[in-house]
Amino acid sequence: MNVLALPTYREGFPTVALEASAFGLPLVTTDATGARDAVQDGVTGWRVPVGDAAALGVALTAALTDPAEARRRRGRASVGTEALRPRAGAGTLGNLL
């Protein structure tokens, strides 16, 4: 299972976290300004206190060792983003092959 780790102390607005969610990648981040707006703890990813390395380790371990839970959170993060994913169709390489 892949996971995005964003152990930040401060963010403006983390575009990488939104991109990860759009592609259904589970996210582990901190409760820092900006980053807290990109993930709902327990719903679309894991959020840990800023500077708490032990909590970060626990969250990353959970994300990597419990694939069912990571998939559940990943799925909730990507709800409504299917239109962003490339699809084979008219005028695409997939249609030409």
Side-chain angles (χ1 to χ4, degrees), residues 29-63:
T29 192
T30 62
D31 196 28
T33 303
R36 76 173 62 114
D37 300 321
V39 65
Q40 292 176 293
D41 189 36
V43 179
T44 61
W46 290 261
R47 198 166 59 204
V48 300
V50 174
D52 189 340
L56 179 64
V58 168
L60 286 170
T61 300

Side-chain angles (χ1 to χ4, degrees), residues 2-96:
N2 293 321
V3 63
L4 173 68
L6 183 63
T8 184
Y9 281 91
R10 184 172 182 209
E11 288 293 321
F13 194 73
T15 305
V16 68
L18 299 177
E19 292 170 343
S21 292
F23 282 92
L25 192 63
L27 173 65
V28 176
T29 192
T30 62
D31 196 28
T33 303
R36 76 173 62 114
D37 300 321
V39 65
Q40 292 176 293
D41 189 36
V43 179
T44 61
W46 290 261
R47 198 166 59 204
V48 300
V50 174
D52 189 340
L56 179 64
V58 168
L60 286 170
T61 300
L64 294 170
T65 60
D66 189 348
E69 179 63 13
R71 274 191 296 279
R72 183 187 69 81
R73 293 183 192 209
R74 175 187 69 195
R76 288 186 177 176
S78 62
V79 168
T81 60
E82 291 300 316
L84 300 175
R85 297 182 188 195
R87 296 176 197 252
T92 66
L93 182 60
N95 194 37
L96 300 173

